[in-house]
Amino acid sequence: SQQGEEDPQALSIQEGENATMNCSYKTSINNLQWYRQNSGRGLVHLILIRSNEREKHSGRLRVTLDTSKKSSSLLITASRAADTASYFCAHNTDKLIFGTGTRLQVFP
Amino acid sequence: NAGVTQTPKFQVLKTGQSMTLQCAQDMNHNSMYWYRQDPGMGLRLIYYSASEGTTDKGEVPNGYNVSRLNKREFSLRLESAAPSQTSVYFCASIRTRTSPAKNYGYTFGSGTRLTVV
């Protein structure tokens, strides 16, 4: 399977803390993307990092990419209760392949 | 509102019944995708259509067929539903024609929750 893997599978933190999620994949890629999914809803695109980029920021999100290790991380700084969701990485070759996801719970 | 629309939102089928899941996008996107989501397994690609008139198999195509009816619509058909096809199905689309999703994120529908009994 080409499916990526994420860790941790679940993460619980307090509001204001930082949350870090990691993702690994198996193939060469064009880009890597992160998505959020609130319970019972569709996926929402958060951020995309190209294979020739090493770090990217968007608001409270910071994504890193290490193509030599075939891994990426998503950092959410100063988390809020509204960040509670599942987060998925997805690597792109000629189609988008998703990881297994991290369930983030942020307690007020 | 612009986006990806999936119908129905919920469906219960008996084993052996057939049905078609509908997906339509109004963003003039070229590429469309069908995924299924099962607990603990993320999303797995069933079929995709890189452009109008083309379709290709993804990771888990068995038991499914697709039709890219026109640029807007991409349907997924279960000819003879099985309990293993109980899942949440998501349709997605993206603008670019070549090397799908090279520089853009996908837009997802809100999903169809299918139960096969």
Side-chain angles (χ1 to χ4, degrees):
Chain A
S1 169
Q2 294 181 325
Q3 193 170 25
E5 296 182 0
E6 294 180 58
D7 76 272
Q9 290 186 345
L11 180 61
S12 295
I13 59 175
Q14 298 289 131
E15 263 190 328
E17 293 181 337
N18 296 341
T20 299
M21 291 159 256
N22 302 296
C23 165
S24 63
Y25 56 92
K26 299 175 184 177
T27 66
S28 59
I29 61 173
N30 293 324
N31 61 61
L32 187 137
Q33 304 175 28
W34 286 88
Y35 289 79
R36 183 184 71 207
Q37 183 180 37
N38 290 91
S39 181
R41 307 292 295 274
L43 279 78
V44 174
H45 179 252
L46 294 176
I47 193 168
L48 180 152
I49 185 167
R50 296 188 181 91
S51 60
N52 61 353
E53 296 176 315
R54 292 296 167 260
E55 186 171 316
K56 198 163 185 178
H57 297 254
S58 177
R60 294 184 294 113
L61 305 180
R62 172 178 170 257
V63 170
T64 62
L65 179 64
D66 186 336
T67 53
S68 66
K69 295 181 180 178
K70 292 187 169 53
S71 66
S72 175
S73 67
L74 172 68
L75 169 66
I76 304 174
T77 60
S79 63
R80 306 166 181 168
D83 294 329
T84 294
S86 291
Y87 292 81
F88 294 89
C89 69
H91 61 278
N92 172 246
T93 53
D94 61 344
K95 47 190 177 290
L96 204 60
I97 304 297
F98 281 82
T100 51
T102 294
R103 293 188 309 278
L104 174 65
Q105 176 82 51
V106 182
F107 292 99
Chain B
N1 290 338
V4 178
T5 302
Q6 291 184 236
T7 55
K9 294 191 183 303
F10 301 94
Q11 183 72 49
V12 178
L13 290 178
K14 294 182 179 179
T15 298
Q17 286 186 317
S18 62
M19 79 161 295
T20 299
L21 282 65
Q22 306 288 351
C23 175
Q25 51 87 13
D26 58 3
M27 298 170 286
N28 201 34
H29 284 177
N30 291 306
S31 303
M32 299 183 73
Y33 303 80
W34 276 105
Y35 289 87
R36 61 177 287 175
Q37 184 177 29
D38 302 293
M41 298 194 72
L43 279 78
R44 291 181 293 169
L45 183 63
I46 305 171
Y47 269 95
Y48 66 104
S49 171
S51 60
E52 187 179 354
T54 69
T55 61
D56 286 285
K57 295 179 180 179
E59 299 171 84
V60 288
N62 291 344
Y64 304 95
N65 285 301
V66 290
S67 294
R68 183 73 183 267
L69 304 171
N70 47 55
K71 192 171 186 179
R72 289 188 65 247
E73 298 172 287
F74 187 40
S75 63
L76 178 71
R77 182 159 179 84
L78 287 72
E79 291 290 352
S80 179
S84 61
Q85 294 178 305
T86 293
S87 188
V88 182
Y89 291 84
F90 288 99
C91 178
S93 71
I94 189 164
R95 182 171 69 191
T96 185
R97 179 186 298 273
T98 60
S99 299
K102 201 163 193 179
N103 294 313
Y104 306 103
Y106 286 26
T107 301
F108 279 82
S110 56
T112 295
R113 188 173 296 274
L114 175 68
T115 302
V116 183
V117 297

